[in-house]
Amino acid sequence: MNRQQRWGFVVVLAALLLGLAPAPVFGPAPAFGNELQESMYVIDGDTVGVGEQHFRLLKINAPEVSKARCQNELNQGLAAKERVEALIANAQNVEMTGKGYTDKYKRGLINLFVDGEDVGEILIREGLALKWRSGAAAKERYRRYWCG
């Protein structure tokens, strides 16, 4: 990706954040810098927001906060959320990359990096998230992992 593509995306993101873009726009180029870091908020361990647009971290599944199935899942979900908040707040550089895909909830699917390190990989390494898998068996695995 060249410098012109990166700056093009930053301009689009800035327009969106300032309310100049007519609708949420998410493209293939990365977004990074203080503006992104200052405007980003954490919904849970695998979902962040920028303005009114929500983004889902690729490759991980973190415990639920709003629809936790047990107290342990809620506790772990809050710990994952707090960890992502701390990673973003303490980073020198925050970068968000994606290819413009969305999930069924219309969240942009992204990789989130703090100081060059993938946030999802940090959460997996620290036991605050699991690798993403689809299907009923994976859903049951997540439930058992967090709720026993």
Side-chain angles (χ1 to χ4, degrees):
M1 175 166 320
N2 65 38
R3 179 176 281 203
Q4 184 178 7
Q5 290 171 318
R6 272 187 250 154
W7 278 110
F9 184 75
V10 170
V11 169
V12 169
L13 183 62
L16 174 63
L17 293 173
L18 295 172
L20 302 175
V25 176
F26 184 66
F32 55 93
N34 291 337
E35 297 85 13
L36 177 63
Q37 184 175 11
E38 292 170 7
S39 63
M40 186 175 285
Y41 55 95
V42 179
I43 296 165
D44 62 24
D46 55 23
T47 309
V48 297
V50 177
E52 293 184 24
Q53 178 69 41
H54 293 173
F55 298 94
R56 174 77 157 75
L57 276 62
L58 287 167
K59 303 183 280 186
I60 70 165
N61 188 26
E64 296 299 326
V65 172
S66 65
K67 295 180 182 177
R69 292 162 286 203
C70 66
Q71 188 62 45
N72 187 57
E73 182 175 20
L74 177 60
N75 295 344
Q76 292 297 312
L78 291 171
K81 178 182 179 182
E82 290 170 7
R83 180 65 172 130
V84 175
E85 288 171 335
L87 287 167
I88 292 169
N90 296 319
Q92 295 295 312
N93 184 47
V94 175
E95 183 177 348
M96 182 173 81
T97 63
K99 295 185 179 180
Y101 299 115
T102 59
D103 67 6
K104 66 182 181 180
Y105 302 108
K106 305 215 185 306
R107 297 177 295 189
L109 299 174
I110 63 160
N111 290 306
L112 180 64
F113 298 90
V114 292
D115 299 329
E117 193 168 1
D118 189 300
V119 170
E121 291 177 11
I122 294 169
L123 293 178
I124 290 170
R125 186 173 59 241
E126 295 178 359
L128 297 170
L130 296 173
K131 288 186 178 182
W132 169 255
R133 298 213 185 338
S134 63
K139 190 174 183 178
E140 179 60 22
R141 175 179 171 250
Y142 298 136
R143 188 198 63 74
R144 278 195 321 268
Y145 184 79
W146 291 308
C147 294

